[in-house]
Amino acid sequence: MKTLINDSIGDLEAALKNNTDLQEKFKTNPIEAIKNVEIKNPKDTDYWIYRIIVLMLGLAVITIIAGLILIAYWNGRAAKDNQLVTIFATISSGAIGALAGLLSPTPRK
């Protein structure tokens, strides 16, 4: 059975203090015992990380699109060479690419 710890030495120390079976395994063969310790990845257990990132990237895309519409409305059709529009379009396409990368399913082995 694998022992789950967070990614710190303090958590490993606490697991060793509380688990007598793990203590015995470390006394007999520390290398095999450390192979049975599994580090929890917060990305696997905390889904709010992805929700916050997706929300912020989505808000960034919506805000940039609204900004582009306002710039087009205020400047009219006379200012087509505006670099601000190019910068906003670049940022929004990067945010859309990040959203696509986050929301695409991970490949199965």
Side-chain angles (χ1 to χ4, degrees), residues 94-106:
I96 290 171
L99 272 173
L102 278 174
L103 297 176
S104 63
T106 56

Side-chain angles (χ1 to χ4, degrees), residues 29-80:
N29 191 352
I31 294 174
E32 285 298 317
I34 202 69
K35 287 181 182 178
N36 286 329
V37 173
E38 186 174 329
I39 298 172
K40 289 189 285 186
N41 190 353
K43 293 189 302 184
D44 295 336
T45 58
D46 188 12
Y47 296 109
W48 280 103
I49 293 173
Y50 287 112
R51 291 177 186 165
I52 291 171
I53 292 172
V54 168
L55 179 69
M56 289 300 135
L57 287 173
L59 286 174
V61 169
I62 291 170
T63 304
I64 290 171
I65 290 172
L68 287 172
I69 291 170
L70 287 175
I71 287 173
Y73 176 74
W74 284 335
N75 288 339
R77 298 195 184 264
K80 287 193 176 193

Side-chain angles (χ1 to χ4, degrees), residues 13-29:
E13 182 181 357
L16 279 171
K17 285 182 182 177
N18 296 331
N19 192 342
T20 56
D21 185 42
L22 188 61
Q23 289 174 3
E24 291 300 321
K25 287 180 183 178
F26 260 92
K27 287 178 185 174
T28 57
N29 191 352

